[in-house]
Amino acid sequence: MAILKIFVGKAEAAAVLEQTRLIERYEAFVVVEADDALIKSLARRYPLEDITAQYKLPLRGGAVDPLAAAPRKRSRTTESLQAPPEAPGDGPHHYLVQFIGPVKPAWVNALRKTGAVLRQPTGGFGHVVSADDPTLAKIRGMKCVRWVGHLPPADRVAPGLVDVPRGRPTELPRRRVLPGALTVEVFGSENVEPVAKAARDLGFKVLTTDKKAKLLTVEFEGTAAARREPIRALSCVHGVRFIRERVLPRTSNNVALGLMGNPQTAHASSALGLTGRGEIVAVCDTGFDTGDADSIHADFAGRVVAIRSYPVAREWASFVTNPGGNDGAADLDSGHGTHVAGSVLGNGAASAGDPVRIRGHAHEAKLVFQAVEQEMRWRPDAPEDLRGARYLLSGIPTNLTPLFQYAYDQGARIHSNSWGGGDPGAYDAQCRQFDDFVWRRKDFCFVVAAGNDGTDSDGDGAINLTSVASPGTAKNCITVGACENLRPEFNTQKYGDWWPDDYPVAPYQRDPLANNPKQVAAFSSRGPTADGRAKPDVVAPGTFVLSTRSSKLAPNNFAWAAYPPNKRYFHMGGTSMATPLVSGAMALMRQYLREQAGITNPSAALLRALLVGRGRPLAGTRAAGTGGPASISASTG
């Protein structure tokens, strides 16, 4: 039997229901159960979609239809299917409630009226709730409910933390974690303190607690084997949503403007006269040139609304001698943040006398810069692999909402984030904070790098899937991958020469990095997400992108490649470089909507829809039935 969504009106529905079993009616379609033999016949007469596979809930470390693995039992009072009741113990517990089809608002309201505390929606038409036994009985009696089951503790822990790994380990070539540290997500702010107490009782050191973010950071000294049982016990504590390793955030490192459909010259703006005028874009990144608006790189002079530097976050206190330290907003290490800002809105003032004017899409927009890279002064007993890094993105706070709110209060409506590094494909606490902020501030548009974890490390000639990292796995943001730039002067630079372990065989081993804008860069992280969503949303040029260079860098630091005509610029690469190009393009789109379409306050959803809708699909990037990234035809570089 298959479950089908058949798009029919009321008049045609009767004929459909003569041959099928009705599950639910909707305004534009019906959801029915039908024999497999009927599908072809129905498809010849009606538009339909087989949604059988969509009834998979996040269970058992994967996606499982709970009725496919359990005896089916048709309720005598409803047409819903119920699994045998579970008995996890006395008191309130967290349960997965699966509805019979695409979720209606009325069903969610009815679920709330049973007395259940709604925690979060899930894939598979599900919702996590907190309920006691009397409430659970009411939920099981709802006609719109297909299945109810306890949310098992095993599904609240990242793979590998409590289980001994079997077979070949998952390839995580660039992922780094804070040794011994775990992020514990909880369902409600009221759960923070009880979970913290339980963690201490189990031998964990609590590094940070944040009720607003519904997060704890804990540390366990000892081997991975020694901490498995404490983690398993912590996952059983009421209120724990998920436990994962504390991943270290990392950066996601003139031709491009033309590739993206914005052929700017020294004397012309885009074909529509769009320059970013009236827009304010926020960039959250390493640092920003001198860090002082009065002495900033000439390409930004007079257009800096605010610069703010964020101190070393509290969870680093065990590892550094400068907890809470703040070395300011200057871009001292890689020049990453200054390069990113130039791709968004640099105006090319420092290249005014050059043969080529080097500037970003939105060269008349204004900037809010949020510097999150700090110098780490390591304690002598800090882990050796950490002590090798002098600078880290340690200013990124556990609770991201104040960081976002600061940018919003300064007038920014586009927020560019060329950093990430969470578990591949996972939807985590960072993602929830991004999504929740857009839900509450619907005119705030996040643009986020997909990451640089694309690899063919297994040598089969294909880039491995499901490598997009948090926060690029968020739902309400625009996630950006990288396609190649078009810079023939770098045709001798091959993927296999730069990263031999990642691209050991054809076709990538001898493929130039910047000769084909219609090809997704090999290093660009791929989707889908762990819960099956298509990410990234778009790709933009991300190899040998030319943009602004921080004046605070060492004289011999030229990243991917120098730009000999002018040392105020250099080349960098990565999805980090693709992301600000999209952010600048979004500023132009927002200006167009305000000035020419009469929409005074465009929503993030509208901007995203226009961006993806106008993108051009790249050959070979769409897996069957999933969609895939489209290029957006618009860089500095």
Side-chain angles (χ1 to χ4, degrees), residues 30-81:
V30 292
V31 174
V32 301
E33 191 175 49
D35 292 332
D36 294 341
L38 259 182
I39 296 177
K40 289 184 179 180
S41 172
L42 291 168
R44 286 194 292 267
R45 289 175 288 165
Y46 312 105
L48 62 78
E49 178 185 1
D50 187 339
I51 63 172
T52 308
Q54 295 181 26
Y55 285 85
K56 292 183 178 180
L57 291 169
L59 286 168
R60 303 172 201 171
V64 177
D65 182 342
L67 298 183
R72 290 194 169 197
K73 179 181 178 182
R74 191 178 302 278
S75 169
R76 290 180 296 175
T77 57
T78 75
E79 289 299 304
S80 64
L81 297 172

Coordinates of all heavy atoms in Angstrom, one line a residue, residues 30-81:
V30 N -6.3 15.6 -1.6 CA -6.7 14.6 -0.6 C -5.5 13.7 -0.4 O -4.7 13.5 -1.3 CB -7.9 13.8 -1.0 CG1 -9.2 14.6 -1.0 CG2 -7.7 13.1 -2.4
V31 N -5.4 13.2 0.9 CA -4.4 12.2 1.2 C -5.1 10.9 1.3 O -6.0 10.8 2.1 CB -3.6 12.6 2.4 CG1 -2.6 11.4 2.8 CG2 -2.8 13.8 2.2
V32 N -4.6 9.9 0.6 CA -5.3 8.6 0.6 C -4.3 7.4 0.6 O -3.2 7.6 0.3 CB -6.2 8.4 -0.7 CG1 -7.2 9.5 -0.8 CG2 -5.3 8.4 -2.0
E33 N -4.8 6.3 1.0 CA -4.1 5.0 0.9 C -4.6 4.2 -0.2 O -5.8 4.1 -0.4 CB -4.2 4.3 2.2 CG -3.2 3.1 2.4 CD -3.3 2.4 3.7 OE1 -4.4 2.1 4.2 OE2 -2.3 2.2 4.4
A34 N -3.6 3.8 -1.1 CA -4.1 3.1 -2.3 C -3.2 1.9 -2.6 O -2.0 1.8 -2.2 CB -4.0 4.0 -3.5
D35 N -3.7 0.9 -3.3 CA -3.0 -0.3 -3.7 C -1.9 0.2 -4.7 O -2.1 1.0 -5.5 CB -3.9 -1.3 -4.3 CG -4.8 -2.0 -3.3 OD1 -4.5 -2.0 -2.2 OD2 -5.9 -2.4 -3.8
D36 N -0.7 -0.5 -4.6 CA 0.3 -0.1 -5.5 C -0.1 -0.2 -7.0 O 0.3 0.6 -7.8 CB 1.5 -1.0 -5.3 CG 2.2 -0.8 -3.9 OD1 1.9 0.3 -3.3 OD2 2.9 -1.6 -3.4
A37 N -1.0 -1.2 -7.3 CA -1.4 -1.4 -8.7 C -2.2 -0.2 -9.2 O -2.4 -0.1 -10.4 CB -2.2 -2.7 -8.7
L38 N -2.8 0.5 -8.3 CA -3.6 1.7 -8.7 C -2.9 2.9 -9.1 O -3.4 3.8 -9.7 CB -4.6 2.0 -7.5 CG -6.0 1.5 -7.6 CD1 -6.8 2.0 -6.4 CD2 -6.7 2.0 -8.9
I39 N -1.6 3.0 -8.6 CA -0.9 4.3 -8.7 C -0.8 4.8 -10.2 O -1.1 5.9 -10.5 CB 0.5 4.2 -8.1 CG1 0.3 3.9 -6.6 CG2 1.3 5.4 -8.3 CD1 1.7 3.7 -5.9
K40 N -0.4 3.9 -11.1 CA -0.2 4.3 -12.5 C -1.6 4.8 -13.1 O -1.6 5.7 -13.8 CB 0.3 3.1 -13.3 CG 1.8 2.8 -13.0 CD 2.3 1.8 -14.0 CE 3.8 1.5 -13.7 NZ 4.3 0.4 -14.6
S41 N -2.6 4.1 -12.7 CA -4.0 4.4 -13.3 C -4.4 5.8 -12.7 O -4.8 6.7 -13.5 CB -5.0 3.4 -12.9 OG -6.3 3.8 -13.2
L42 N -4.2 6.1 -11.5 CA -4.5 7.4 -10.9 C -3.6 8.5 -11.5 O -4.1 9.6 -11.7 CB -4.3 7.3 -9.4 CG -5.4 6.5 -8.6 CD1 -4.9 6.3 -7.2 CD2 -6.8 7.1 -8.7
A43 N -2.3 8.2 -11.7 CA -1.4 9.2 -12.2 C -1.8 9.6 -13.6 O -1.4 10.7 -14.0 CB 0.0 8.6 -12.1
R44 N -2.4 8.8 -14.4 CA -2.8 9.2 -15.7 C -3.9 10.1 -15.7 O -4.1 10.9 -16.6 CB -3.2 7.9 -16.5 CG -2.0 7.1 -17.0 CD -2.5 6.0 -18.0 NE -3.3 5.0 -17.5 CZ -2.9 3.9 -17.0 NH1 -1.6 3.6 -17.0 NH2 -3.8 3.0 -16.5
R45 N -4.7 10.2 -14.6 CA -5.9 11.0 -14.5 C -5.7 12.3 -13.6 O -6.4 13.3 -13.9 CB -7.1 10.2 -14.0 CG -7.6 9.2 -15.0 CD -8.7 8.4 -14.4 NE -8.2 7.4 -13.5 CZ -8.9 6.7 -12.6 NH1 -10.2 7.0 -12.5 NH2 -8.4 5.9 -11.8
Y46 N -4.8 12.2 -12.6 CA -4.7 13.3 -11.7 C -3.2 13.6 -11.4 O -2.4 12.6 -11.3 CB -5.4 12.9 -10.4 CG -6.8 12.4 -10.5 CD1 -7.0 11.0 -10.3 CD2 -7.9 13.2 -10.8 CE1 -8.3 10.5 -10.4 CE2 -9.2 12.6 -10.9 CZ -9.4 11.3 -10.8 OH -10.6 10.8 -10.9
P47 N -2.9 14.8 -11.1 CA -1.6 15.1 -10.5 C -1.5 14.5 -9.1 O -2.4 14.6 -8.3 CB -1.5 16.6 -10.4 CG -2.7 17.1 -11.3 CD -3.7 16.0 -11.2
L48 N -0.4 13.7 -8.9 CA -0.3 13.1 -7.6 C 1.1 13.0 -7.1 O 2.1 13.1 -7.9 CB -1.0 11.7 -7.5 CG -0.5 10.6 -8.5 CD1 0.8 10.0 -7.9 CD2 -1.6 9.6 -8.6
E49 N 1.3 12.8 -5.8 CA 2.7 12.6 -5.3 C 2.6 11.4 -4.3 O 1.7 11.4 -3.4 CB 3.1 13.9 -4.5 CG 4.4 13.8 -3.9 CD 4.8 15.0 -3.0 OE1 4.0 16.0 -3.0 OE2 5.9 15.0 -2.4
D50 N 3.5 10.5 -4.4 CA 3.6 9.4 -3.5 C 4.4 9.9 -2.3 O 5.6 10.2 -2.3 CB 4.4 8.2 -4.1 CG 4.3 7.0 -3.2 OD1 4.2 7.1 -2.0 OD2 4.6 5.9 -3.8
I51 N 3.7 10.0 -1.1 CA 4.3 10.6 0.1 C 4.6 9.5 1.2 O 4.8 9.8 2.3 CB 3.5 11.7 0.7 CG1 2.1 11.2 1.2 CG2 3.4 12.9 -0.3 CD1 1.4 12.3 1.9
T52 N 4.6 8.3 0.7 CA 4.8 7.2 1.7 C 6.1 7.3 2.4 O 6.2 7.2 3.7 CB 4.8 5.8 0.9 OG1 3.7 5.7 0.1 CG2 4.9 4.7 1.9
A53 N 7.2 7.7 1.7 CA 8.5 7.9 2.4 C 8.5 9.1 3.3 O 9.5 9.2 4.1 CB 9.6 8.0 1.3
Q54 N 7.6 10.0 3.2 CA 7.6 11.1 4.1 C 7.1 10.8 5.5 O 7.2 11.7 6.4 CB 6.7 12.2 3.5 CG 7.3 12.8 2.2 CD 6.5 13.9 1.6 OE1 5.8 14.6 2.4 NE2 6.5 14.1 0.3
Y55 N 6.6 9.6 5.8 CA 6.2 9.2 7.1 C 7.3 8.6 7.9 O 7.1 7.6 8.7 CB 5.0 8.2 7.0 CG 3.7 8.9 6.6 CD1 3.4 9.1 5.2 CD2 2.8 9.3 7.5 CE1 2.3 9.7 4.8 CE2 1.6 9.9 7.2 CZ 1.4 10.1 5.8 OH 0.2 10.8 5.4
K56 N 8.5 9.1 7.8 CA 9.6 8.6 8.5 C 10.0 9.6 9.6 O 10.3 10.8 9.3 CB 10.8 8.3 7.6 CG 10.6 7.2 6.6 CD 11.8 6.9 5.8 CE 11.6 5.7 4.9 NZ 12.8 5.4 4.0
L57 N 10.0 9.1 10.8 CA 10.4 10.0 12.0 C 11.9 9.8 12.3 O 12.5 8.8 12.0 CB 9.5 9.6 13.2 CG 8.0 9.9 13.1 CD1 7.3 9.2 14.2 CD2 7.8 11.4 13.1
P58 N 12.5 10.8 13.0 CA 13.9 10.7 13.4 C 14.0 9.8 14.6 O 13.9 10.1 15.8 CB 14.2 12.1 13.8 CG 12.9 12.8 14.2 CD 11.9 12.1 13.3
L59 N 14.1 8.5 14.3 CA 14.2 7.4 15.3 C 15.4 6.5 15.0 O 15.7 6.3 13.8 CB 12.9 6.6 15.4 CG 11.7 7.3 16.0 CD1 10.4 6.5 15.7 CD2 11.9 7.4 17.5
R60 N 15.9 5.9 16.1 CA 16.9 4.8 15.9 C 18.1 5.3 15.1 O 18.7 4.6 14.4 CB 16.3 3.6 15.3 CG 15.1 3.0 16.0 CD 14.4 1.9 15.3 NE 13.1 1.8 15.8 CZ 12.1 1.0 15.2 NH1 12.5 0.3 14.1 NH2 10.9 0.9 15.6
G61 N 18.5 6.6 15.3 CA 19.6 7.1 14.7 C 19.5 7.4 13.2 O 20.4 7.7 12.5
G62 N 18.2 7.3 12.7 CA 18.0 7.5 11.3 C 16.6 8.0 11.1 O 16.0 8.7 11.9
A63 N 16.0 7.6 10.0 CA 14.6 8.0 9.6 C 13.8 6.7 9.5 O 14.1 5.9 8.6 CB 14.6 8.8 8.4
V64 N 12.8 6.5 10.3 CA 12.1 5.3 10.4 C 10.6 5.5 10.4 O 10.1 6.4 11.1 CB 12.4 4.5 11.7 CG1 11.6 3.2 11.8 CG2 13.9 4.2 11.7
D65 N 9.8 4.8 9.5 CA 8.4 4.8 9.7 C 8.0 3.9 10.8 O 8.3 2.7 10.7 CB 7.7 4.3 8.4 CG 6.2 4.3 8.4 OD1 5.6 4.4 9.5 OD2 5.6 4.2 7.4
P66 N 7.5 4.4 11.9 CA 7.3 3.6 13.1 C 6.3 2.4 12.9 O 6.4 1.4 13.6 CB 6.8 4.5 14.2 CG 6.2 5.7 13.4 CD 7.0 5.8 12.1
L67 N 5.4 2.6 11.9 CA 4.5 1.5 11.6 C 5.0 0.4 10.7 O 4.5 -0.6 10.6 CB 3.2 2.1 11.0 CG 2.5 3.1 11.9 CD1 1.2 3.6 11.3 CD2 2.2 2.5 13.3
A68 N 6.1 0.8 10.0 CA 6.7 -0.2 9.1 C 7.5 -1.3 9.9 O 7.7 -2.4 9.4 CB 7.6 0.4 8.1
A69 N 7.9 -1.0 11.1 CA 8.6 -1.9 11.9 C 7.9 -2.4 13.1 O 8.4 -3.1 14.0 CB 9.9 -1.2 12.4
A70 N 6.6 -2.0 13.3 CA 5.8 -2.5 14.4 C 4.5 -3.0 13.9 O 4.0 -2.6 12.8 CB 5.6 -1.3 15.4
P71 N 3.9 -3.9 14.7 CA 2.6 -4.5 14.2 C 1.6 -3.4 14.1 O 1.5 -2.5 14.9 CB 2.2 -5.4 15.4 CG 3.5 -5.7 16.1 CD 4.3 -4.5 15.9
R72 N 0.8 -3.4 13.0 CA -0.2 -2.4 12.7 C -1.5 -2.8 13.5 O -1.9 -3.9 13.6 CB -0.5 -2.3 11.2 CG 0.6 -1.7 10.4 CD 0.1 -1.4 9.0 NE 1.0 -0.5 8.3 CZ 0.8 0.2 7.3 NH1 -0.5 0.3 6.8 NH2 1.7 0.9 6.7
K73 N -2.0 -1.8 14.1 CA -3.2 -2.0 14.8 C -4.2 -0.8 14.5 O -3.9 0.3 14.8 CB -2.9 -2.0 16.3 CG -4.2 -2.2 17.2 CD -3.8 -2.1 18.7 CE -5.0 -2.3 19.6 NZ -4.6 -2.2 21.0
R74 N -5.3 -1.2 13.8 CA -6.2 -0.1 13.5 C -7.2 0.1 14.6 O -7.8 -0.8 15.2 CB -7.0 -0.6 12.2 CG -7.8 0.6 11.7 CD -8.6 0.1 10.4 NE -7.7 -0.4 9.4 CZ -7.0 0.3 8.5 NH1 -7.1 1.6 8.6 NH2 -6.2 -0.2 7.6
S75 N -7.3 1.4 15.0 CA -8.1 1.8 16.2 C -9.6 1.5 15.8 O -10.0 1.7 14.7 CB -7.9 3.3 16.5 OG -8.9 3.7 17.4
R76 N -10.3 1.0 16.8 CA -11.7 0.8 16.5 C -12.5 2.0 16.5 O -13.6 2.1 15.9 CB -12.3 -0.1 17.6 CG -11.8 -1.6 17.6 CD -12.4 -2.4 18.7 NE -11.9 -1.9 20.0 CZ -12.3 -2.4 21.1 NH1 -13.2 -3.4 21.2 NH2 -11.9 -1.9 22.3
T77 N -12.0 3.1 17.1 CA -12.7 4.4 17.1 C -12.3 5.4 16.1 O -12.9 6.4 15.8 CB -12.5 5.0 18.5 OG1 -11.2 5.2 18.8 CG2 -13.1 4.1 19.6
T78 N -11.1 5.2 15.5 CA -10.6 6.1 14.4 C -10.0 5.3 13.3 O -9.8 4.1 13.4 CB -9.6 7.1 15.0 OG1 -8.4 6.4 15.1 CG2 -10.0 7.7 16.3
E79 N -9.7 6.0 12.2 CA -9.0 5.3 11.1 C -7.5 5.5 11.2 O -6.8 5.2 10.3 CB -9.5 6.0 9.8 CG -10.9 5.5 9.4 CD -11.0 4.0 9.3 OE1 -10.3 3.4 8.5 OE2 -11.8 3.4 10.0
S80 N -7.0 6.1 12.4 CA -5.6 6.2 12.5 C -5.0 4.9 13.0 O -5.6 4.0 13.5 CB -5.2 7.3 13.6 OG -5.7 6.9 14.8
L81 N -3.7 4.8 12.8 CA -2.9 3.6 13.1 C -2.1 3.8 14.4 O -1.4 4.8 14.4 CB -2.0 3.1 12.0 CG -2.8 2.7 10.7 CD1 -1.8 2.5 9.6 CD2 -3.6 1.5 10.9

